Amino acid sequence: MQSFQNGFPQALKNGLLNTIPYAIAIIIGTILVPMLLPILPFRAFSMKGLVLGVIWSVVVIKYSNVFYYDNNIVLNISNSLLLTSIISFLALNFTGSTTFTSLSGVKKETLIAVPVIATSALVGVVLMIIGNFL
Amino acid sequence: MEYIRNVAKIEINSDKCTGCGLCINVCPHGVISMDDKVAFLANKDRCIECGACDNNCPVDAIEVETGVGCAYAIIKSWFNSSKTNCC
Ligand code: SF4
Ligand code: SF4
């Protein structure tokens, strides 16, 4: 909440810096995932996305000051959950674009992955709100 | 590359099969092999449920549930009971 004490322009600047990891997460999910598809571990696409999501979350936590995050544990968990959910969900959406996935396989993956991704995103949002008031 | 295991919905009725080999020729993933003039699923986990074998079998010995594995369409179908056809 420090940003608001320093006036609106500062809050805007911090807010923009805060969104950079999310913009990069979208780039990772849409460009890096398909590029690395053959070398990422796991068969399920959402799990491949999870791998990159966890790696990106670790980088964001390490450089949290660059992106203007308060380095508190609740915000770190929240950002990690949200970033990983975004990348994992985007990765899941590439199942329709390959020559080796099947409808039955995607149905099975979707049935498991989507509720997990939705729950982590929801928990991430709640923790983000709590973390900003700490 | 292989996808999720033990999910492909494909069956070959060996009683109907005449051993013509057409399904083997058209399968893009080498799923089907021939044993003693009867086709069988040698690599079932590689099946992408494209339906080419089913469409080309002259005696209708193959049953496969076909469709495109599009996650977006599947998620959409949960909410509006539409078919899981792709985007
Ligand atoms: S459905 Fe397609 S991939 Fe599967 S066995 Fe038939 S031809 Fe091969
Ligand atoms: S196309 Fe049909 S009849 Fe011919 S080998 Fe395959 S399953 Fe048997």
Side-chain angles (χ1 to χ4, degrees):
Chain A
M1 297 302 282
Q2 286 164 343
S3 38
F4 292 108
Q5 285 149 20
N6 296 332
F8 185 71
Q10 186 63 32
L12 194 66
K13 186 183 156 212
N14 296 355
L16 284 175
L17 284 168
N18 283 175
T19 59
I20 289 173
Y22 287 86
I24 295 175
I26 292 170
I27 293 169
I28 292 172
T30 49
I31 295 173
L32 215 56
V33 166
M35 276 172 70
L36 301 179
L37 218 49
I39 57 167
L40 286 168
F42 301 111
R43 284 161 184 263
F45 283 38
S46 49
M47 290 298 288
K48 290 175 186 285
L50 180 102
V51 172
L52 290 181
V54 169
I55 294 171
W56 179 234
S57 299
V58 171
V59 174
V60 172
I61 290 172
K62 179 141 178 34
Y63 297 99
S64 56
N65 57 328
V66 176
F67 302 115
Y68 237 89
Y69 290 125
D70 294 338
N71 200 354
N72 76 54
I73 187 156
V74 179
L75 274 185
N76 284 341
I77 295 172
S78 159
N79 276 321
S80 304
L81 285 173
L82 288 169
L83 293 168
T84 307
S85 302
I86 290 168
I87 297 174
S88 185
F89 184 73
L90 290 172
L92 176 68
N93 276 279
F94 280 97
T95 53
S97 324
T98 71
T99 54
F100 61 93
T101 49
S102 62
L103 177 63
S104 301
V106 181
K107 272 184 180 168
K108 186 178 178 185
E109 174 172 3
T110 309
L111 210 58
I112 300 168
V114 170
V116 175
I117 292 170
T119 309
S120 10
L122 197 70
V123 173
V125 169
V126 172
L127 290 181
M128 176 71 74
I129 294 166
I130 296 170
N132 271 301
F133 284 97
L134 287 178
Chain B
M1 287 180 74
E2 279 182 34
Y3 192 47
I4 315 273
R5 287 188 181 129
N6 303 322
V7 287
K9 288 191 179 126
I10 177 166
E11 297 294 336
I12 298 181
N13 184 338
S14 46
D15 294 335
K16 279 189 180 177
C17 176
T18 59
C20 70
L22 261 176
C23 53
I24 297 173
N25 289 343
V26 296
C27 177
H29 281 263
V31 175
I32 307 170
S33 286
M34 194 71 78
D35 183 28
D36 206 14
K37 291 202 167 170
V38 177
F40 73 101
L41 299 165
N43 296 300
K44 196 173 173 180
D45 285 337
R46 300 196 63 189
C47 176
I48 59 167
E49 299 174 333
C50 67
C53 52
D54 189 3
N55 286 341
N56 285 282
C57 176
V59 292
D60 205 15
I62 303 178
E63 285 269 337
V64 54
E65 203 179 300
T66 60
V68 181
C70 175
Y72 176 71
I74 292 168
I75 296 166
K76 231 169 66 178
S77 75
W78 293 348
F79 298 99
N80 58 15
S81 70
S82 67
K83 286 196 167 176
T84 54
N85 285 335
C86 210
C87 323

